[in-house]
Every structure is written in structure tokens, then in C-alpha cells.
Amino acid sequence: MERGGGSSAAGPSPSPSPSRSPSPSEDRECCAGLWELPVERCERRPECGRCSRPQKVCLCPFLPIHPLKVSTCLYIIQHPAEESRVLRTVPLLAACLPPDKCKILIGRRFSEDRYPELATVCRSPSTLILYPGAEATNLEEVTLGSSSPPIMIIIDGTWSQAKDIFYKNSLFRLPKQVQLKTNISSQYVIRTQPTNTCLSTLECAAVALTIMEKNKSIQETILRPLQALCSFQLQHGAQIHHSKEHLLKNGLYDKPMPKNKRKLRRMELLVNNVKI
């Protein structure tokens, strides 16, 4: 007997009849029992009301016993994507300061009609916005007036998200634009930064408040919970994230290079130590 794939001696076998698709009513009958199956609810771990961390890994022992006494008021403009990040730093920053000195606004677009208080803040001569660029003045060189408490606006998000928020909201171009002139490396080593000197929102706030309040202990106090967070994560399997600048310079960048010419140019600037 031939074992090949040809036809048998008895002739071609009859073709199978085409399968019939089940009707909608049959579909409903088949699935009827599924709706009655119990669904296990996914409950989130209880969170600490102060540091917003799960209670088992609460960072409150590393926070100041009492909120820091500062005259500067921070307005944190947070991109919505940052709100859902597990290892975000803004809750730790807020836990270090009095509620009336750290106000968080979440969104992408901020119009004067929807945010009248923010519009008033942006028009105040005592307001600064922390956003580096050619038009920014080094914060150390800014003379703060004594007539009203200073206000600092900080945008919380990735660099591309912060850029989008800054340029698409005209309100944020009203305050005096400032930047931090510092060579310190970020201690937020569990998240990749563009360059070695890019800082997280908490670190920016810590340095800015230290300068504006003329109190060096502020930076140390605010950075303590961040150091504890990174230490805990590294002890439980997290890896140190080197900056994109470091990876590119040392040939360790293992992702495909972007095809977009503008993004590719930005990477070239990182390698050549050109400020972007």
C-alpha cells in the first residue's frame, strides 16, 4: 500500500461539508453559564495615608516627623501618566511639606477658565517656573522679593511630557523661567534618566527649596525617603538604571536606534555632551 499523500485506490474521498457558524442565539446559550461564574476581585494592597506606599513597605520612618517649615509654595503640574506609576516621587515630596505648601494639579492642558487660581499664580511676580532652556536664569542668580512668599512651579513627567505641557500651555510662559545649575548626579537610580545630571521631580524640588529657603538641611531631609525607596528596590531585585547618556557613551545601549532624525540627533548630542 502506498504511504504517500496521494489519493487511495478507491478514488478521491468525498469533500467534507462546510462547517456552520453558530447563530447568535446559540452563542448566548453557550456563554450563559459564564456570566454566573464568580469573579475574584483584585484588591489593592492597603496604602499608607501619608507616603502613599503599600503599608508593608511604608517609608514614613524616613520622612520628617513634622512637615518642613518653608515659606515657598510648590505647584506640581503632573502629567496624568505619572499618577499611575508605582515608584513615583511626588507623594514623598508632598509628605515632607505642609499641604498648603505643595499643591498638585494633574493634567495636560491648563486653561485660565478651568484653573483661575493657577492663572493668578502664573501672573504673580513672585512666581518662578523650573524649566531649563536658553531663556532660563540660574536659580542661584535670582533675587527673590520679600513682599510676598515665593512660588515655584515644577512640571512632573518625562522630558517629552514636560516639554509638551510647557509649550502647549501659554500660562506657563508667564512666570520667570529658571533652571538649576548643578553637577550632582541623580540618586533616583531605579529609573532611567536622559543624562547623568537629570534629576527627578523630588530632587529638583529639594535643590530648589534649599536655594530659595537658604537652608541646606532641606535637601538632605527631602532626599532621605528617596534614598530609602531606591535601597529597598535594589535589595529586592531591581537593577541600577544608568542614564541614556552613559549607555550610549559606553556602547551599552541595547535598544534599536530611532529612525526619526530629530530623535537620532538628540542621541548624538547626548554622546557629545551637548546640552539639549
Side-chain angles (χ1 to χ4, degrees), residues 163-225:
K163 183 178 180 180
D164 180 74
I165 289 175
F166 180 78
Y167 283 105
K168 292 186 177 179
N169 291 279
S170 58
L171 284 178
F172 298 141
R173 293 192 294 282
L174 296 177
K176 186 175 182 62
Q177 187 178 336
V178 296
Q179 62 187 1
L180 299 175
K181 186 181 180 181
T182 176
N183 293 321
I184 66 172
S185 296
S186 174
Q187 298 184 43
Y188 193 23
V189 294
I190 54 176
R191 187 169 174 183
T192 304
Q193 304 288 3
T195 69
N196 296 330
T197 55
C198 287
L199 303 178
S200 66
T201 300
L202 178 141
E203 290 170 308
C204 286
V207 175
L209 285 173
T210 296
I211 295 170
M212 298 173 76
E213 299 289 323
K214 297 181 174 60
N215 185 346
K216 293 183 178 180
S217 67
I218 289 178
Q219 182 173 332
E220 179 183 348
T221 302
I222 293 180
L223 293 184
R224 193 176 297 126

Side-chain angles (χ1 to χ4, degrees), residues 94-158:
C96 291
L97 300 172
D100 63 329
K101 297 298 182 182
C102 186
K103 302 181 181 183
I104 303 168
L105 300 177
I106 302 171
R108 294 184 179 88
R109 302 293 176 263
F110 297 86
S111 65
E112 187 168 356
D113 294 338
R114 292 186 61 189
Y115 297 89
E117 178 186 343
L118 180 62
T120 301
V121 166
C122 288
R123 287 191 169 87
S124 171
S126 61
T127 299
L128 306 173
I129 184 165
L130 187 62
Y131 189 85
E135 300 179 4
T137 304
N138 292 331
L139 181 57
E140 296 91 335
E141 302 170 6
V142 174
T143 302
L144 300 175
S146 57
S147 58
S148 57
I151 300 172
M152 171 70 78
I153 296 175
I154 302 176
I155 302 176
D156 179 45
T158 65

Side-chain angles (χ1 to χ4, degrees), residues 245 249 265-275:
E245 174 190 11
K249 285 184 175 180
R265 176 59 178 163
R266 288 175 64 86
M267 286 194 166
E268 292 173 353
L269 293 175
L270 284 177
V271 174
N272 296 322
N273 255 344
V274 177
K275 189 174 182 180

Side-chain angles (χ1 to χ4, degrees), residues 19-34:
S19 58
R20 183 178 64 85
S21 300
S23 65
S25 59
E26 290 174 327
D27 273 341
R28 287 193 294 271
E29 290 177 3
C30 292
C31 297
L34 295 177

Side-chain angles (χ1 to χ4, degrees), residues 251-263:
L252 301 174
Y253 192 75
D254 56 359
K255 296 181 180 180
M257 297 301 283
K259 296 181 180 179
N260 182 290
K261 291 184 178 180
R262 186 175 63 180
K263 292 183 178 180

